[in-house]
Amino acid sequence: MFAHVDINNFYASCQRLFRPELEGKIIVVLSNNDGCVIARSDEAKALGIKMGDAEFQVRDLLNKNGAYIFSSNYALYADMSARMMNNLARYTYMLMVYSIDECFMAIDHMPGVDLEEYIANMRDAVVQNTGLPITIGVGKTASLAKFANRAAKRARKKYMVLDTMDKVDAIINDFDIEDLWGVGFSYYKKLTAAGIMTAGDFRRQEPGWVQKQMTIQGLRLWRELWGEQCHVLNDLFERSKAICSSKSFNTYQTELCYLEEAIATYTATVASKLRVQESMALNINVFLRTNKHRKDHDQYYPSITLKLPFSSNSTAELTKVALQALRAIYTPGYYYMKGGVTAIGIVPAGEVQYDVFTEYQGERQTELSGLMDKINARYGKGTLRVAIEGYKKHWIMKQDYLSPNYTTRWQDIIKPI
């Protein structure tokens, strides 16, 4: 059996957790540089605010209805996510984080346990300990667990346990095909064109037809809807094949020195993520972007990929190559609005092999990077960094509506009145 757990309206719920007076109010959370809507409370959804709406397009509507607007506060969201995952981990021998606000859990090998009672108690405990509203779906496969979670939300239930195929059969014909995990926009158009409108319609198709239309991935989904396990949890969470860090700048950047600061900072983030998943990169890609919507500016979208001398996850080594790449593509006279760094060719750190002529001081770089990680974990991100990352960052993204970091910054901790 599998359980799928996710946090309802996660970003908005995090804001409400520390400001309970916002319960029942319209809340939207904006993307980097406060550009567009990426999270909404139920009240905002009812108002007609859509995911991806540009802030300037819905600004008057939000102000007219007294909406509360927040910039993305990733430090707060990451910490609250970790708290939820740590609480859930007590109820399973295997928990796999699927995204910042959802995870899968293995909940088999529990003979004699009343599953309904177990899930109800688990949900109550997690909500009590974290304050975050969650929904839980349980099924015989990962796909059915995700299906049960979505069905629970549609039925306005806190959880749903589909531990028999009879329970699945009772609701699958009323489940829209577009809400089925693994059915993206292109598959949705293809399936509806064939008259397949519900998950029940999809499950009644012949397996050969499903594989022809949706490849082996679609066939696995079809088989899982019949209760046949095709996804092992570890298979769902493979090591990333590429790791990217990119953001839009708060103002147009034209000077190379400021672009170097940004690219160095993004590279440090990529290197840190590589070390977290115990991987190394073989190649580094660096890109710049101008604003394609500005017709009065010339457009330029340069990108270059350089091979590293040795596979590495060292901040210093990756930064050196990334800056070489930046200087190769930078052309003065353009108004750059975004830049980014991507690590490509990800390999496990333990499988890197050097030849007899290698002069790379791998152990020294590993120790240095590990020391940086420990200091930054203890005293805060960016406490120890490569000098070229700069101090006063002129390109840092705009966050006009940023909330306090209630759980990760001493001065932001809530004080009693």
Side-chain angles (χ1 to χ4, degrees):
M1 300 294 293
F2 296 90
H4 174 259
V5 185
D6 76 345
I7 308 172
N8 305 331
N9 304 322
F10 178 42
Y11 290 178
S13 295
C14 285
Q15 303 298 343
R16 279 179 172 160
L17 181 60
F18 298 95
R19 293 186 58 184
E21 74 274 14
L22 299 184
E23 190 66 37
K25 304 295 184 180
I26 301 169
I27 298 175
V28 298
V29 180
L30 304 177
S31 63
N32 293 340
N33 281 312
D34 297 339
C36 61
V37 176
I38 59 170
R40 309 154 295 162
S41 64
D42 289 334
E43 294 77 13
K45 296 174 185 177
L47 190 62
I49 304 298
K50 298 180 177 61
M51 286 286 287
D53 278 349
E55 186 272 338
F56 72 89
Q57 292 177 324
V58 296
R59 184 183 302 157
D60 291 342
L61 179 62
L62 293 173
N63 291 335
K64 179 181 178 181
N65 288 274
Y68 291 82
I69 304 172
F70 294 94
S71 301
S72 294
N73 189 337
Y74 298 116
L76 174 64
Y77 305 150
D79 185 65
M80 295 310 302
S81 173
R83 293 176 185 227
M84 185 196 76
M85 301 303 175
N86 287 336
N87 271 268
L88 289 170
R90 297 183 300 164
Y91 295 89
T92 180
Y93 63 91
M94 181 181 293
L95 180 145
M96 302 301 291
V97 179
Y98 190 64
S99 68
I100 192 171
D101 65 341
E102 62 179 320
C103 67
F104 286 91
M105 304 167 60
I107 54 170
D108 48 359
H109 305 302
M110 297 189 299
V113 172
D114 185 314
L115 208 50
E116 291 270 353
E117 182 180 356
Y118 186 80
I119 295 301
N121 291 338
M122 177 175 69
R123 185 192 180 279
D124 290 344
V126 172
V127 172
Q128 174 68 30
N129 292 339
T130 66
L132 295 171
I134 63 174
T135 302
I136 305 176
V138 177
K140 291 187 174 182
T141 67
S143 297
L144 284 175
K146 185 90 169 180
F147 170 80
N149 188 300
R150 187 67 63 89
K153 288 182 176 180
R154 291 181 56 177
R156 299 187 179 278
K157 294 182 177 180
K158 298 176 180 178
Y159 63 88
M160 182 174 290
V161 177
L162 301 179
D163 51 352
T164 68
M165 292 309 296
D166 287 342
K167 293 181 179 179
V168 176
D169 295 340
I171 63 174
I172 197 167
N173 290 319
D174 297 323
F175 195 87
D176 295 337
I177 190 64
E178 62 183 323
D179 292 332
L180 195 60
W181 186 37
V183 177
F185 182 68
S186 59
Y187 283 147
Y188 169 74
K189 290 199 302 182
K190 183 180 294 187
L191 292 172
T192 53
I196 299 172
M197 301 298 179
T198 69
D201 294 337
F202 174 73
R203 198 175 63 158
R204 282 189 288 272
Q205 303 305 307
E206 293 294 328
W209 183 90
V210 172
Q211 183 170 359
K212 182 179 179 181
Q213 300 297 321
M214 301 177 62
T215 72
I216 189 65
Q217 296 299 326
L219 181 61
R220 288 175 179 170
L221 170 61
W222 180 87
R223 292 166 65 182
E224 288 224 333
L225 291 179
W226 282 108
E228 180 182 349
Q229 182 178 319
C230 298
H231 292 299
V232 179
L233 284 190
N234 286 330
D235 295 338
L236 294 173
F237 311 93
E238 298 176 350
R239 181 180 279 102
S240 300
K241 297 179 180 178
I243 295 177
C244 179
S245 177
S246 68
K247 294 181 179 67
S248 298
F249 309 130
N250 62 351
T251 59
Y252 292 118
Q253 299 298 320
T254 59
E255 301 295 328
L256 177 61
C257 60
Y258 296 140
L259 291 172
E260 287 177 333
E261 287 184 1
I263 293 301
T265 302
Y266 301 157
T267 305
T269 299
V270 168
S272 176
K273 290 181 179 179
L274 283 168
R275 293 192 292 272
V276 167
Q277 70 171 35
E278 299 182 351
S279 298
M280 291 188 172
L282 297 171
N283 305 283
I284 286 291
N285 172 270
V286 175
F287 67 87
L288 296 172
R289 297 285 184 270
T290 54
N291 188 350
K292 64 181 180 180
H293 301 293
R294 289 293 298 267
K295 305 304 180 183
D296 55 335
H297 291 169
D298 292 334
Q299 302 301 311
Y300 185 42
Y301 313 112
S303 175
I304 189 173
T305 299
L306 296 184
K307 182 176 176 59
L308 294 166
F310 310 98
S311 57
S312 176
N313 59 18
S314 161
T315 299
E317 292 296 323
L318 267 61
T319 301
K320 185 188 304 181
V321 175
L323 292 177
Q324 291 174 356
L326 171 65
R327 291 161 188 157
I329 63 175
Y330 169 75
T331 300
Y334 290 98
Y335 294 85
Y336 298 103
M337 66 162 293
K338 185 176 184 179
V341 176
T342 306
I344 305 172
I346 309 298
V347 296
E351 297 179 12
V352 176
Q353 184 173 355
Y354 304 106
D355 60 45
V356 69
F357 302 105
T358 297
E359 297 180 0
Y360 175 60
Q361 298 177 330
E363 291 185 4
R364 181 175 182 276
Q365 290 294 335
T366 299
E367 292 176 0
L368 178 59
S369 297
L371 177 62
M372 291 180 66
D373 291 339
K374 289 180 181 179
I375 292 176
N376 290 332
R378 175 65 178 84
Y379 296 102
K381 182 179 179 181
T383 300
L384 187 61
R385 58 188 181 274
V386 179
I388 201 169
E389 292 182 42
Y391 179 67
K392 292 184 178 180
K393 300 176 178 178
H394 301 269
W395 46 269
I396 202 72
M397 66 181 179
K398 181 173 67 174
Q399 293 179 302
D400 291 341
Y401 309 100
L402 186 64
S403 61
N405 291 333
Y406 300 103
T407 64
T408 57
R409 185 183 295 157
W410 285 111
Q411 57 265 39
D412 289 345
I413 291 179
I414 292 179
K415 302 175 181 63
I417 298 175

